[in-house]
Amino acid sequence: MNPQTSRPIFVLGCPRSGTTLLQQMLHSHRRIAFPSETRFVHTSYEARHRFGDLERERNRRALAEWITRGGDTKFRVLELDAEDVIEEIVHGPPTLGSALAIVFRAYARRHGKARWGDKRPSYFRRVPMLRRMFPDAQFVHLVRDGRDAVSSLMRMPWFEGDIYAAALTWREAVDTGMRLAPRLGSGTFYELRYEDLVTDPEPALVRLCAFLGEEYDAEMTMAYRHARRTVPSARKWHLRTHEEPNTRNVGAWRDRLRGSEADLVEHVLASRLLDHGYTLSGAARPGAAELARFHRVAAHRWRSRHAHAVLDRFAQAREPNPVVSRVRGPVRVADRQDES
């Protein structure tokens, strides 16, 4: 183990795969600060051109004001002093990655932690962006049985897609993980299964900590105590984080998906389910019309992703500054504060 490691950690995966549970577990580690979703990393990256040349102090201030007070961010969840953070960004290195790192380091410092992370399920679509800003980052991909993830996603009040979109989201997430694993290597990319995390948390977390270069901390298995203080009861879809890890929802898809839905999801995800160690139920083959619609939606989503990638390449060519973080080294934790 390297007690001085300070690499950023990003948790990603298909929505409804347990990433909030894992975020709470990581935050319970004595060295790692892991806030709930902040939503200013990808939005500030997409808006980066509006701030101009960050070598100019007024532009760094405009960026800092946007991060801390903009309507598209959730800076408030960090419970940091906005003015202090703004001044630190203004006097920091003139890159977007540096500004973001300064915010997360301030959060880690507030909690007396030497290291920071961030989680957002959709980060599986944004690993190139994250690596541009944080080339030394480590990535943790959480995988859940696709049938359970899809059935849970379909129950969410904020999910606007249908069964085809839900299945394709899981497929895209696991396909991305399978491409990233060999490309990034075992020291940068790590994959674990939700079922292993809730069935026997300690060995799963010991292995995760080994990947992160950290000593295992037993407090991670009691993250529900932290979640009860920090995860609002109004977010009913996250209330399972208030409980000790359990397997109550493993296999819940059998009750949640209608027969035709279960047949479709298992059929189109079958090879990937098997690749990740899940057992098939022997579902019937869906009808031709259902499969044709699934493939039409898949083609549309592929075209959309490709178009977005092309636009981002053009955007990169117009950047007035590098985006890579120039903030290095572990967070100074001498002034530890009590956690909320």
Side-chain angles (χ1 to χ4, degrees):
M1 305 292 179
N2 177 10
Q4 297 303 311
T5 188
S6 58
R7 299 170 68 182
I9 306 163
F10 292 101
V11 166
L12 48 107
C14 177
R16 305 307 297 161
S17 290
T19 56
T20 298
L21 170 65
L22 182 56
Q23 170 255 320
Q24 294 285 327
M25 288 175 161
L26 284 164
H27 185 76
S28 297
H29 191 284
R30 60 185 172 272
R31 273 181 38 87
I32 302 172
F34 230 101
S36 57
E37 293 183 24
T38 54
R39 302 193 180 185
F40 55 67
V41 173
H42 70 286
T43 52
S44 59
Y45 181 83
E46 290 170 354
R48 64 196 184 279
H49 291 283
R50 76 170 68 170
F51 303 107
D53 185 355
L54 294 182
E55 292 284 352
R56 299 178 179 177
E57 180 178 317
R58 68 174 181 272
N59 291 344
R60 293 198 300 279
R61 186 172 297 277
L63 170 62
E65 292 274 359
W66 187 87
I67 291 173
T68 58
R69 299 196 171 104
D72 294 332
T73 80
K74 287 194 171 184
F75 175 83
R76 65 186 182 280
V77 305
L78 303 179
E79 298 183 345
L80 297 172
D81 185 285
E83 289 300 329
D84 288 347
V85 172
I86 289 169
E87 291 307 313
E88 196 170 347
I89 291 174
V90 168
H91 294 94
T95 72
L96 175 60
S98 300
L100 297 172
I102 284 169
V103 177
F104 286 112
R105 285 166 65 88
Y107 178 80
R109 190 167 60 238
R110 173 178 175 267
H111 289 280
K113 308 288 187 75
R115 195 172 177 187
W116 62 268
D118 189 32
K119 88 93 176 169
R120 183 165 174 78
S122 63
Y123 278 161
F124 74 80
R125 297 189 179 101
R126 301 176 182 274
V127 171
M129 171 199 78
L130 295 170
R131 281 178 56 79
R132 290 195 72 215
M133 294 190 287
F134 309 105
D136 61 337
Q138 290 181 292
F139 297 90
V140 180
H141 181 212
L142 189 60
V143 177
R144 184 183 184 187
D145 185 321
R147 296 160 296 191
D148 275 332
V150 167
S151 67
S152 181
L153 193 54
M154 292 294 294
R155 292 158 58 92
M156 293 300 104
W158 41 262
F159 182 65
E160 299 177 351
D162 54 18
I163 193 74
Y164 306 97
L168 283 164
T169 299
W170 187 86
R171 190 175 80 168
E172 183 185 349
V174 298
D175 284 356
T176 300
M178 293 177 73
R179 289 194 301 270
L180 289 174
R183 187 180 305 168
L184 301 185
S186 60
T188 296
F189 185 85
Y190 184 79
E191 190 168 272
L192 74 159
R193 300 195 325 164
Y194 166 82
E195 292 78 12
D196 297 331
L197 191 63
V198 296
T199 300
D200 199 359
E202 183 169 332
L205 291 169
V206 167
R207 292 189 294 270
L208 173 60
C209 286
F211 160 73
L212 296 174
E214 300 288 351
E215 296 288 344
Y216 168 67
D217 188 337
E219 288 294 315
M220 300 173 78
T221 63
M222 293 178 277
Y224 58 90
R225 298 189 302 198
H226 178 259
R228 288 169 183 170
R229 298 193 304 271
T230 60
V231 177
S233 297
R235 296 162 79 183
K236 298 186 188 323
W237 51 90
H238 284 158
L239 287 184
R240 295 297 304 280
T241 61
H242 291 191
E243 305 172 7
E244 292 188 55
N246 61 74
T247 60
R248 192 178 311 141
N249 279 347
V250 173
W253 64 270
R254 292 180 176 87
D255 298 319
R256 293 176 175 175
L257 293 178
R258 298 193 304 270
S260 59
E261 292 176 330
D263 291 346
L264 173 72
V265 171
E266 183 166 295
H267 180 81
V268 299
L269 303 183
S271 63
R272 295 158 177 88
L273 289 168
L274 290 171
D275 286 342
H276 287 84
Y278 299 108
T279 302
L280 302 184
S281 68
R285 180 181 176 84
E290 281 191 294
L291 288 176
R293 182 175 177 185
F294 175 83
H295 291 301
R296 284 197 300 272
V297 176
H300 174 76
R301 287 166 70 102
W302 182 89
R303 289 192 296 269
S304 178
R305 291 196 306 273
H306 179 71
H308 185 273
V310 171
L311 290 174
D312 189 58
R313 285 196 292 272
F314 281 117
Q316 289 181 33
R318 297 186 292 108
E319 289 169 348
N321 310 100
V323 297
V324 65
S325 173
R326 295 176 182 167
V327 177
R328 295 288 184 268
V331 179
R332 296 177 63 181
V333 296
D335 301 324
R336 182 176 181 123
Q337 299 182 28
D338 292 336
E339 294 196 21
S340 58

